Amino acid sequence: MKATRIFLAGLMALGLSSCKDFLDVEPTNMGKAETSIKTPADAQIMVNGLMNSMTDVNYYGRNFIMYGDAKGGDLAVYSQGRGLDALYTFNHTATTNSFSGIWLQIYNGIHQANNILESIATIEATAPNASFDTYKGQALTARAIMHFDLVRLYGKSYDDDKSSFGVPNVTTRLGSEAQPLRATVEQNYTQILADLTTAAPLLPKTITKGYINYYTNLAMQARVYLYMKDYENALKTAEEVISKTALYSLYSNAAWVASWKTPFGSESIFELGVFPTENDLGTSGLGVYLRRNGHGSNNALGQFLVSDYYLNRLRQDPNDVRWSILARDETSATRMGSLYKYSGSTTLEGDGKATNTAVNIKVIRLSEIYLIAAEAALPTDKAKAVTYLNAIRKRAPNLAPATQATINLDMILDERSKELLGEGHRFFDMIRLNKTITFNDELGGLSVSGREKSINRGFYKTRLPISQTEINANPGLKAQQNEGY
């Protein structure tokens, strides 16, 4: 792509992210923005394209998820040079390994959301009775999710310095010459919550497989409030989701094992569909990046292994059900360091599709919501925190349940690590709570020059740099570059 500006890139990518293969129709977001939506069916096609764009390799399809785990201490690199190890080594500058593709892809998605919203607004001005609420709600919620993911990558934690630079808030359809500057972290969170709360009443309260519904929105609100340490609202929104037992329920231990080869299970609150002929990344996807070297494909290079620190947590109970998605790695016949969540099973069953790499991406699961509720309840209601934590802690049947006397934040954080491995949370959890991250460099005998063995959020490379290409295109960002770069 010749253009360098994020918004020109987004405009051009609109024609790519909702291609005919994905939709099997003539996608309306290939046309002029002001005429792209005429009917609710057109809006549905646009939303299809938006959901597809979120499975891109630079977003939930791989790099964003890998960012959250490779940097958090639960994964390690056995041999450098196999792919994405710059995430683990923090080898980032404005010109090298800036991972600007994540910035470009997420802003492309935001542009798509804005296109949907403004096209619908144009129609509603002359046809106020048209039924576009669901699509507006989905676009607003997706826009909130994308801004939230961006501010976690480029901004400081909310309670660290909310007046520091976050990312540009982009809430209108912009042309290729637009040069928006960074808002503050607080302004980002204000916009995120405004989008979420505006969207919530527009969304259906029924299961919408592969799409955003009312409870997806509430689950995201709970996640955002947790990051803000607004525990009252985090608990309130989490509990509303948990209460909908007719729609969502926790897996039994036996069902948890099978859930990774089952699309749209009972815990799935927001799950992105991945399909063989549409958006399957094949050997570039998460499943291949996390499985054992050489398993099922010569392109499986054993890029990342589960760290000793994670395995030590799991060893608290040899019968922990979460051992079931781990298999031996290349280091020995006994070390269970390869992760198979995105391969369906340790025997590469996939999740029922023609290829074992086309495995859906579970963005928000009910297990996470229980753990959010436990953390949010901890300061004021330990009994409630214990109840929510033990609902997940029972994945380890021989581990003593938490009690009001034993529960603490580290216990909840350890459970989040065990339950959410490979789902892109660990680094962000450690940073928002200002915990020390220690890396398992000795596993591969690595010499890492880009960071110390242990870091916390005071280390400047815990935020990505704005790429130099972006600064060249938008010179106002030069004065807003993250410190240290």
Side-chain angles (χ1 to χ4, degrees):
M1 185 179 293
K2 184 176 179 181
T4 56
R5 301 191 200 282
I6 55 173
F7 299 103
L8 181 55
L11 285 164
M12 295 175 68
L14 272 172
L16 301 174
S17 61
S18 299
C19 62
K20 192 166 184 177
D21 280 346
F22 179 70
L23 299 169
D24 201 28
V25 294
E26 183 63 26
T28 55
N29 58 344
M30 292 281 285
K32 294 181 180 180
E34 63 272 16
T35 60
S36 58
I37 294 179
K38 296 179 180 178
T39 68
D42 294 336
Q44 178 67 73
I45 290 172
M46 293 279 281
V47 170
N48 289 350
L50 177 57
M51 295 299 100
N52 184 42
S53 76
M54 296 179 80
T55 69
D56 185 87
V57 68
N58 279 304
Y59 199 13
Y60 286 113
R62 191 188 71 198
N63 287 0
F64 181 79
I65 298 289
M66 291 306 309
Y67 185 101
D69 280 283
K71 290 179 173 293
D74 280 355
L75 295 183
V77 171
Y78 185 60
S79 178
Q80 288 182 268
R82 295 182 178 184
L84 296 184
D85 50 89
L87 292 175
Y88 178 80
T89 61
F90 287 69
N91 183 22
H92 307 303
T93 70
T95 56
T96 305
N97 297 320
S98 67
F99 285 85
S100 60
I102 299 178
W103 170 287
L104 288 169
Q105 184 59 33
I106 297 179
Y107 272 115
N108 169 51
I110 289 171
H111 180 88
Q112 287 181 276
N114 289 337
N115 187 40
I116 292 168
L117 292 166
E118 293 192 22
S119 296
I120 289 173
T122 298
I123 295 172
E124 289 182 328
T126 56
N129 295 322
S131 55
F132 289 99
D133 280 2
T134 293
Y135 310 111
K136 287 195 296 184
Q138 290 179 347
L140 283 165
T141 303
R143 187 171 76 182
I145 292 170
M146 291 183 282
H147 276 112
F148 180 62
D149 291 341
L150 281 167
V151 73
R152 290 190 291 163
L153 292 168
Y154 291 94
K156 291 185 177 181
S157 298
Y158 188 86
D159 72 322
D160 183 12
D161 184 0
K162 63 186 179 183
S163 65
S164 61
F165 289 125
V167 294
N169 271 336
V170 180
T171 57
T172 59
R173 189 165 53 201
L174 300 176
S176 60
E177 298 304 311
Q179 295 185 329
L181 299 179
R182 298 173 73 180
T184 66
V185 168
E186 184 174 25
Q187 288 168 334
N188 288 150
Y189 275 81
T190 298
Q191 182 59 52
I192 290 162
L193 288 174
D195 278 352
L196 289 171
T197 54
T198 300
L202 305 176
L203 290 163
K205 294 184 177 181
T206 55
I207 297 290
T208 53
K209 295 180 179 179
Y211 297 95
I212 290 166
N213 69 3
Y214 174 77
Y215 298 105
T216 304
N217 180 291
L218 283 189
M220 181 52 58
Q221 286 191 47
R223 192 187 280 180
V224 172
Y225 283 127
L226 189 74
Y227 274 67
M228 298 173 71
K229 295 188 176 178
D230 182 345
Y231 296 130
E232 180 180 358
N233 279 312
L235 181 60
K236 177 183 176 182
T237 48
E239 287 190 315
E240 186 172 350
V241 177
I242 290 168
S243 72
K244 299 304 171 183
T245 54
L247 297 179
Y248 307 107
S249 59
L250 289 177
Y251 298 124
S252 67
N253 281 6
W256 192 94
V257 178
S259 71
W260 301 103
K261 59 181 181 181
T262 306
F264 306 115
S266 68
E267 282 200 22
S268 182
I269 298 172
F270 182 35
E271 182 170 325
L272 291 166
V274 178
F275 306 100
T277 61
E278 297 163 2
N279 54 345
D280 180 5
L281 295 175
T283 58
S284 295
L286 284 164
V288 175
Y289 264 61
L290 291 167
R291 69 175 66 151
R292 182 173 64 253
N293 188 2
H295 190 187
S297 170
N298 291 332
N299 294 96
L301 302 178
Q303 278 94 338
F304 291 91
L305 279 61
V306 176
S307 72
D308 289 335
Y309 308 123
Y310 178 87
L311 292 176
N312 286 340
R313 288 187 202 101
L314 218 55
R315 287 188 185 108
Q316 293 172 355
D317 183 358
N319 293 320
D320 193 313
V321 70
R322 289 163 294 205
W323 285 108
S324 65
I325 45 81
L326 299 176
R328 72 170 182 87
D329 59 41
E330 65 184 281
T331 67
S332 74
T334 58
R335 188 180 189 279
M336 304 289 280
S338 295
L339 176 61
Y340 284 80
K341 278 184 175 178
Y342 299 100
S343 295
S345 70
T346 58
T347 55
L348 310 183
E349 293 177 85
D351 68 0
K353 306 189 187 90
T355 60
N356 62 26
T357 52
V359 173
N360 287 1
I361 301 162
K362 303 178 194 319
V363 180
I364 304 176
R365 294 194 293 121
L366 186 61
S367 290
E368 180 195 349
I369 304 307
Y370 270 77
L371 292 166
I372 287 173
E375 185 177 336
L378 183 65
T380 57
D381 191 337
K382 284 191 174 183
K384 186 175 283 188
V386 163
T387 297
Y388 289 129
L389 176 60
N390 283 336
I392 309 303
R393 192 173 169 87
K394 68 182 180 183
R395 306 266 194 241
N398 299 321
L399 204 60
T403 67
Q404 292 186 54
T406 61
I407 192 171
N408 57 44
L409 182 58
D410 286 336
M411 184 182 289
I412 297 170
L413 189 59
D414 281 354
E415 200 62 37
R416 285 182 64 91
S417 166
K418 289 189 283 188
E419 179 66 21
L420 302 175
L421 174 69
E423 298 177 54
H425 292 277
R426 181 64 173 176
F427 172 75
F428 298 116
D429 282 342
M430 298 295 276
I431 292 301
R432 68 181 173 84
L433 295 169
N434 198 24
K435 297 289 187 178
T436 296
I437 303 170
T438 301
F439 296 91
N440 195 183
D441 297 336
E442 61 273 21
L443 179 64
L446 302 186
S447 176
V448 179
S449 60
R451 58 151 172 79
E452 300 295 330
K453 180 174 172 58
S454 296
I455 63 169
N456 60 29
R457 70 187 186 191
F459 179 45
Y460 76 95
K461 286 189 177 181
T462 54
R463 295 180 295 156
L464 281 176
I466 307 298
S467 75
Q468 189 59 47
T469 300
E470 195 61 41
I471 292 171
N472 292 343
N474 185 355
L477 292 173
K478 182 177 181 180
Q480 298 183 332
Q481 176 64 283
N482 282 333
E483 57 189 289
Y485 294 108

